[in-house]
Amino acid sequence: MSGGPWGRLVRDATTYEGTLRPVPTGSDTEVRPPESVERFVRQLAKAYKAVRLYPASSDIATGAAEVSVDALAVCFEERPELTLSVGRGALGYAGIPVFPDDPTMLDFAREFYGKRLAEVRFAEGVDAAEIARFLVLLNRKDEELVSGDDFEAWMWDANIVNVTVSMATTVIADAGAEESDTSAFASLSTRDIDELIAGAFAGRKRDHQMLIRVVEDQHGLTRYLEQSAREYAGDHAGTWVAGRVGAIAHVLSGEPTEVRTQLYGSIAESVMSLDDDVRHEAIQDGLLPTALHDDVVAEVVRGLDLDDLCGVLASGLEESAESREGLARALRNLLMIGGGTREEIIEAARTALTDAGASPQAISEVVSQATPTQLEVEEPAPQEAEESPLSRVLKLMDAVPSGDEAEDEDPAIAALRGEAKRGVTNADIARVLAAVAWLQTDEATFGAIISHLEDYLGLLLDREEYADALSVIDVLFDAAMDEERPPEQRARVVAALKLLLEERTVRSIAHALGRYDEGSEEYDACVRLLKRLGAPAVPTLLEVLADEPDHSQRKILVDVLTGSADDYLDELSAYLGDNRWYLVRNIVSVIGSAHDPRAVALLQRTIRYPEPRVRRETLRSGVQVGGRAASGLLEAGLGDDDGENVRLSMQLLAQVDPAACAKGAAAVAAGAGAGDTSRETRLAAVELLSHLELDEASASLERLAAIRGFKVRGVNRDVRDAAKAALGRAGS
């Protein structure tokens, strides 16, 4: 695989953190557990499947368990005990994930994870019956576990002694609590969890998995938020909590939808369980404003119950215009992020305000401000000189209000607010973040910046601001290829760039090509983006090509692929056997533009494709890419059962190898060819022979003209007459 950093960076799982680290170009190696361990885990998964489908005492289940024991015996030749660690996404050995990308093994690992197992140890002496009994316990429903000790109790009752487990428990430390909440792994302080968040941002997989377990325990998460707010935020506990919530949500944003929904639900419940003052500030002054420009936080907010949310907002209403404006602003933010329909939100707000004892006048004023019919914005004062986006964004960052501003705002701040109204774009902010990230050396801070940059980059792509997105992506690609940058940072950048390979993103860019004029800035940006994405984007592009009904749009995509055909041969070749002939024909056309010697060999695979139009394109592409080297391909075309393909083969062969053409055309004209022998094809062969200035061609014509006896009838007579006419023209 070639193109950008994709071909130079692979997963290095030596620490079971899933980080990507650079390897020498051309290396396809991946750190993996010993083959004996992989074989055992695979056989254990098969045995588990057998136990699920058949009684444990059945021959099938017992046989599968015996095979796994045989595989385990090989492991015991190297070590007296085999220990597997349990993660949410894979089992692990010595810190290395076992089959991390295999969906079947992912489901198997989750059975261990669901039983809250941290480690499973297999000791010498374990037999098939013991393995089978263990797998039967593993198949019991997760809901049957009342406490973390139950699984071990089950194992004791089942007389399982050569398989032992360690349970996963995490304690959120609280010196003031009489009891401690159990959650997932080991004793963690608030600072420990802060470090987990920072590590997860930096791409450390183990920190990510541990953080997931913390979030799954809603009570433990609530305690963490409360304690960290007290320790670090003081009077600004709510805004601190909002920041922590946003950070955790971003770490979890890459989880599958179902899992992410559950985790975000736990976060939402934790927020709603906070003390009243902290909860109100976190939602009104932290989460809702952030959600306007942060889709991840917006998803968390949308998970809050609307009535409860409005109740929290209403509980903070005071008898002041500033308080009413703050509540109205929060409701406007809720409307803008899709927290409900306008009618639902206003109705919930009215009910909450009424329950909170607000006066009808106050309710009317808040609702009126929350849903204005017209907005008026004062025009900003003109500036003497235009500042760069970087300067403008940094000034805005420096001018973030602390919450203690005087009633009369400083004129300079007022001017800056006016400038903000005129608009610092998302592209400006993204470019600044990219520039700041480039200078950042702290790993955790770098990871946090890249996470924010991912959000802005996604926003630019969603809005189809491709030229602006490209300027940011160029910086990220340079960072990924910068060998002086720490490997962890380069890996984090590659992980961010991989988000661009999502199918919807590639499809959006591909479809956008058809909306812009060739040569325009937008068109060129889309082409450069697709080239930047490189070979990993090719499968999606081919699917877009296959689905595209418009001929002009298909031509654009073919042209884009053609421009980098040499880099994409491996990806293109994978589709040469596809049953969609129209797609294969286009792929053959793209291969024909390559200069790589392998292209001719690839075309040998389509010269026998069932659809004649694909074979026809193969002949054209063969000459285009191989010249004389394609002679064998064209000779094979002479045996095609499609007459048009045989005639095309003769014409093209005459250009690259006249001698071979003379021999092949003579056989076709005589009706002795392996392919089509229709009248039209044989006469075309005679005509072609007449234009070849070779002795072999003239001799063939003379033999055809000399046909005698019973053979001279029908097509043979037409061929003889055509050969005589050709000789006559040559002699005149």
Side-chain angles (χ1 to χ4, degrees):
M1 187 178 293
S2 55
W6 311 117
R8 301 179 57 186
L9 294 162
V10 298
R11 180 185 299 273
D12 177 3
T14 54
T15 58
Y16 193 26
E17 294 174 348
T19 56
L20 298 174
R21 299 188 178 182
V23 297
T25 301
S27 173
D28 293 323
T29 60
E30 182 178 12
V31 177
R32 295 171 55 181
E35 184 178 348
S36 58
V37 174
E38 288 188 332
R39 185 182 304 111
F40 167 64
V41 173
R42 180 73 75 184
Q43 293 301 331
L44 189 65
K46 291 181 179 179
Y48 176 66
K49 183 177 181 181
V51 167
R52 294 185 65 183
L53 296 176
Y54 305 98
S57 59
S58 68
D59 292 341
I60 295 177
T62 302
E66 288 175 349
V67 174
S68 68
V69 170
D70 292 341
L72 187 58
V74 178
C75 299
F76 288 151
E77 293 175 0
E78 303 171 3
R79 62 197 72 79
E81 183 180 83
L82 178 66
T83 300
L84 299 177
S85 57
V86 179
R88 186 185 187 89
L91 297 177
Y93 173 78
I96 306 174
V98 183
F99 303 117
D101 300 319
D102 187 323
T104 302
M105 301 307 295
L106 170 63
D107 292 339
F108 184 47
R110 284 179 175 169
E111 295 294 340
F112 291 82
Y113 182 84
K115 302 301 184 297
R116 308 188 78 81
L117 303 181
E119 286 185 341
V120 182
R121 293 174 294 275
F122 299 87
E124 283 189 297
V126 64
D127 57 22
E130 206 166 10
I131 290 285
R133 293 197 300 274
F134 172 75
L135 295 177
V136 168
L137 298 182
L138 192 66
N139 189 40
R140 293 179 67 171
K141 295 181 179 180
D142 296 350
E143 294 77 7
E144 296 183 47
L145 284 173
V146 179
S147 69
D149 295 331
D150 278 358
F151 195 87
E152 291 178 294
W154 292 351
M155 293 179 65
W156 178 264
D157 293 340
N159 193 30
I160 299 174
V161 295
N162 291 305
V163 181
T164 57
V165 299
S166 295
M167 306 305 296
T169 58
T170 297
V171 178
I172 309 292
D174 184 357
E178 296 181 359
E179 298 180 357
S180 55
D181 294 325
T182 59
S183 60
F185 235 31
S187 179
L188 297 176
S189 67
T190 53
R191 189 172 297 277
D192 290 332
I193 297 178
D194 287 339
E195 292 177 356
L196 283 182
I197 296 172
F201 262 125
R204 289 195 287 270
K205 189 169 183 179
R206 181 172 289 278
D207 288 349
H208 184 104
Q209 299 294 350
M210 291 181 68
L211 183 61
I212 286 176
R213 297 200 175 185
V214 171
V215 173
E216 286 178 329
D217 180 359
Q218 185 253 313
H219 297 293
L221 179 60
T222 303
R223 177 167 295 172
Y224 159 71
L225 294 175
E226 290 175 339
Q227 291 179 19
S228 62
R230 287 196 299 268
E231 292 176 16
Y232 303 124
D235 294 336
H236 302 287
T239 53
W240 172 262
V241 166
R244 294 289 81 194
V245 167
I248 295 172
H250 273 278
V251 171
L252 306 177
S253 62
E255 294 296 311
T257 301
E258 182 178 352
V259 175
R260 187 178 69 247
T261 300
Q262 294 176 352
L263 294 173
Y264 282 3
S266 180
I267 294 174
E269 290 177 9
S270 295
V271 171
M272 296 304 292
S273 300
L274 295 170
D275 295 338
D276 292 346
D277 292 342
V278 175
R279 179 177 59 193
H280 178 268
E281 182 185 347
I283 293 175
Q284 179 166 309
D285 300 334
L287 295 177
L288 282 171
T290 303
L292 287 176
H293 59 79
D294 190 325
D295 289 341
V296 172
V297 175
E299 186 175 352
V300 174
V301 173
R302 286 194 291 268
L304 296 169
D305 180 82
L306 181 58
D307 292 331
D308 292 343
L309 176 57
C310 288
V312 171
L313 296 175
S315 67
L317 182 65
E318 299 175 354
E319 293 297 328
S320 67
E322 182 180 359
S323 179
R324 289 193 292 272
E325 168 56 29
L327 176 54
R329 182 170 55 252
L331 293 175
R332 287 198 301 271
N333 292 344
L334 188 58
L335 280 165
M336 293 176 67
I337 67 171
T341 66
R342 179 181 181 278
E343 293 74 15
E344 290 172 343
I345 292 175
I346 295 305
E347 179 61 28
R350 286 184 181 277
T351 301
L353 287 168
T354 300
D355 293 343
S359 65
Q361 180 181 355
I363 296 174
S364 177
E365 183 176 344
V366 168
V367 171
S368 177
Q369 292 179 6
T371 56
T373 57
Q374 182 176 358
L375 291 176
E376 295 182 0
V377 179
E378 183 178 342
E379 287 296 327
Q383 291 185 319
E384 294 181 0
E386 183 70 20
E387 293 181 319
S388 69
L390 175 60
S391 299
R392 290 158 60 193
V393 173
L394 292 179
K395 284 176 67 179
L396 284 173
M397 293 170 66
D398 292 337
V400 172
S402 64
D404 300 324
E405 292 84 354
E407 189 74 14
D408 297 328
E409 193 173 44
D410 185 281
I413 299 299
L416 190 57
R417 290 187 184 279
E419 181 181 354
K421 288 178 182 178
R422 190 173 68 233
V424 174
T425 67
N426 290 306
D428 294 334
I429 297 174
R431 280 190 285 266
V432 170
L433 286 173
V436 173
W438 184 271
L439 302 174
Q440 185 57 244
T441 56
D442 178 73
E443 183 177 340
T445 304
F446 178 85
I449 293 174
I450 294 298
S451 293
H452 285 296
L453 190 56
E454 288 173 346
D455 295 335
Y456 279 104
L457 189 56
L459 185 61
L460 292 176
L461 292 171
D462 287 343
R463 294 181 176 179
E464 299 189 0
E465 298 175 13
Y466 296 121
D468 291 328
L470 180 62
S471 65
V472 177
I473 292 170
D474 284 340
V475 174
L476 292 178
F477 263 88
D478 290 340
M481 302 299 292
D482 182 7
E483 296 183 354
E484 296 182 0
R485 185 169 294 278
E488 293 78 8
Q489 290 192 6
R490 295 174 63 192
R492 181 65 183 87
V493 173
V494 170
L497 288 171
K498 281 188 173 181
L499 296 176
L500 303 175
L501 295 174
E502 292 181 354
E503 182 177 350
R504 69 180 186 88
T505 300
V506 177
R507 282 183 175 272
S508 176
I509 299 171
H511 286 306
L513 284 167
R515 295 196 294 272
Y516 301 122
D517 295 331
E518 186 174 357
S520 66
E521 180 183 5
E522 295 84 358
Y523 182 93
D524 292 341
C526 291
V527 172
R528 286 189 57 202
L529 268 175
L530 292 175
K531 288 185 177 180
R532 270 298 198 185
L533 297 182
V538 169
T540 301
L541 284 177
L542 293 178
E543 292 300 330
V544 174
L545 180 61
D547 297 341
E548 180 55 54
D550 184 75
H551 173 74
S552 60
Q553 179 72 9
R554 291 200 301 272
K555 183 179 183 302
I556 291 173
L557 292 173
V558 169
D559 290 343
V560 170
L561 291 168
T562 296
S564 303
D566 288 300
D567 297 329
Y568 301 158
L569 285 181
D570 289 341
E571 288 70 28
L572 294 170
S573 66
Y575 279 77
L576 290 180
D578 196 281
N579 58 9
R580 293 168 290 185
W581 69 266
Y582 46 90
L583 173 61
V584 178
R585 182 175 63 176
N586 284 321
I587 292 173
V588 168
S589 174
V590 173
I591 292 176
S593 65
H595 300 88
D596 193 310
R598 293 180 299 157
V600 175
L602 292 179
L603 294 176
Q604 294 284 357
R605 293 168 52 184
T606 54
I607 194 61
R608 299 302 182 196
Y609 193 89
E611 171 56 48
R613 283 168 286 191
V614 173
R615 302 197 297 271
R616 197 169 306 139
E617 191 64 41
T618 299
L619 297 171
R620 297 191 185 98
S621 295
V623 173
Q624 184 176 346
V625 70
R628 188 176 179 84
S631 178
L633 199 68
L634 298 174
E635 289 182 39
L638 296 177
D640 201 304
D641 57 9
D642 181 84
E644 187 174 348
N645 288 347
V646 175
R647 296 190 290 274
L648 178 62
S649 296
M650 291 189 294
Q651 295 169 7
L652 296 175
L653 192 57
Q655 300 173 21
V656 301
D657 192 344
C661 178
K663 181 179 179 181
V668 172
D676 177 66
T677 56
S678 64
R679 178 180 184 278
E680 183 180 5
T681 298
R682 292 179 63 184
L683 292 177
V686 172
E687 181 66 19
L688 185 62
L689 287 169
S690 70
H691 292 286
L692 292 176
E693 298 179 356
L694 295 172
D695 293 340
E696 296 91 333
S698 299
S700 296
L701 288 174
E702 290 175 354
R703 287 194 296 272
L704 292 171
I707 297 176
R708 295 288 187 274
F710 69 91
K711 292 184 179 180
V712 185
R713 66 183 66 175
V715 177
N716 285 334
R717 181 174 58 202
D718 295 337
V719 169
R720 183 196 64 180
D721 294 345
K724 287 182 177 180
L727 290 171
R729 290 194 300 272
S732 60

